[in-house]
Amino acid sequence: MTETPKIHWKRIWIEALAIVASILLAFAIDAWWDGRKEAADHSAQIQSLVLEFETAQRHLSVQMEHLQSSLAGTIRVLELMGPDASESEGLQLPAALIESFDVGVSPPQRGVLMNVLASRGNLRVNSTELWSALQSWPTKMGDLEIDGNHLEQNREQDFIAALIRLEVPMSSLIQSRFTQLPADSPRQPPVSKFDADWSRLLRDPGVETIFVMRALRTRMLLRTHENAIQIATGIIKQLDEEL
């Protein structure tokens, strides 16, 4: 009669437990690694956002300096204007116009932020205030860009329309802008054959309205920049707290 082999239940249980333990350990290691990778990705995103907002602050600060210089030129134009403006005051106008018009407004880059907003699940922040500020930033920068376009329209459309209406040649202003270039420079415009009576601009109420609007828009842009810089400072502080 054949003897039935003895089953070693203890060894089977030990081997089964070892297999289960190894599987659980593998899962634990994977979870730990995924957690570390997620934490590293989160930290990298936060640091990228901080860098982008710090760059935005510098961009807005430099732009503010240009706007302040432009506003000084605009105010100088308005100081020269009046019904009794003379030819001597008219000769001072081109330099003031150049200072007023030598400005451009553009919003800072926000590519990292837009990527974060497009995939909110990849960035978990503890502060709802921070998330709200991040969401509202593109709108604020869009408003800034629109106001900048209005300032450019004031220069490129309203002022040029006034020159045409008053028959003042723009070439004279262009020539005064390029006086520091060599005479044989290819960028040097040809000498105008028309006489420019700048005092005519200074005596025109319509031109005064153009520059009053320009001063108001520039002041509004300066306030917008100041507010944006303060918001960026707050966002950077809150982002640092998330690290």
Side-chain angles (χ1 to χ4, degrees):
M1 184 174 178
T2 306
E3 184 179 352
T4 302
K6 184 180 179 180
I7 299 175
H8 299 282
W9 291 106
K10 185 177 181 180
R11 189 198 307 182
I12 291 174
W13 277 108
I14 291 174
E15 291 177 353
L17 288 172
I19 292 171
V20 171
S22 64
I23 293 173
L24 292 176
L25 180 60
F27 280 133
I29 292 173
D30 286 343
W32 171 79
W33 179 254
D34 289 342
R36 285 198 60 181
K37 185 176 183 301
E38 184 177 339
D41 291 343
H42 178 268
S43 178
Q45 272 194 323
I46 294 291
Q47 290 173 358
S48 296
L49 279 172
V50 169
L51 179 61
E52 185 166 270
F53 275 97
E54 288 175 343
T55 302
Q57 280 184 315
R58 291 192 293 271
H59 177 96
L60 294 170
S61 295
V62 171
Q63 209 158 248
M64 274 191 70
E65 293 177 2
H66 294 164
L67 284 167
Q68 288 165 346
S69 177
S70 172
L71 180 59
T74 301
I75 291 174
R76 178 58 181 155
V77 171
L78 291 170
E79 289 173 345
L80 292 170
M81 297 195 72
D84 300 322
S86 64
E87 185 177 348
S88 63
E89 290 168 320
L91 294 175
Q92 302 175 50
L93 180 60
L97 287 175
I98 291 169
E99 186 177 14
S100 173
F101 291 155
D102 192 14
V103 66
V105 176
S106 64
Q109 296 297 318
R110 49 193 185 274
V112 175
L113 175 61
M114 299 310 294
N115 288 335
V116 168
L117 294 178
S119 56
R120 177 177 179 178
N122 294 335
L123 181 68
R124 295 190 298 272
V125 295
N126 299 318
S127 170
T128 55
E129 180 184 353
L130 171 58
W131 186 251
S132 176
L134 291 174
Q135 286 182 309
S136 64
W137 183 259
T139 301
K140 294 182 183 299
M141 293 302 97
D143 292 342
L144 183 146
E145 185 172 18
I146 291 172
D147 291 339
N149 290 338
H150 288 161
L151 191 66
E152 184 174 346
Q153 178 181 324
N154 175 275
R155 177 187 64 201
E156 301 296 329
Q157 297 182 24
D158 300 341
F159 177 70
I160 291 177
L163 289 179
I164 295 171
R165 174 173 58 84
L166 295 172
E167 298 181 347
V168 177
M170 188 176 181
S171 55
S172 298
L173 176 62
I174 295 175
Q175 286 163 11
S176 64
R177 181 69 178 88
F178 288 89
T179 52
Q180 296 181 348
L181 290 176
D184 58 349
S185 172
R187 293 176 58 196
Q188 185 74 24
V191 177
S192 175
K193 298 177 183 178
F194 297 94
D195 294 329
D197 182 5
W198 293 106
S199 61
R200 189 182 305 173
L201 288 175
L202 294 177
R203 294 190 296 269
D204 186 82
V207 174
E208 184 184 51
T209 300
I210 290 172
F211 282 92
V212 168
M213 290 301 301
R214 184 170 184 83
L216 293 175
R217 284 172 173 157
T218 306
R219 290 182 188 276
M220 181 173 62
L221 271 165
L222 283 168
R223 287 195 297 269
T224 302
H225 278 64
E226 289 175 354
N227 180 251
I229 290 172
Q230 291 176 355
I231 292 173
T233 300
I235 289 175
I236 291 170
K237 181 180 179 181
Q238 292 180 78
L239 286 170
D240 285 337
E241 293 173 353
E242 294 287 335
L243 289 174

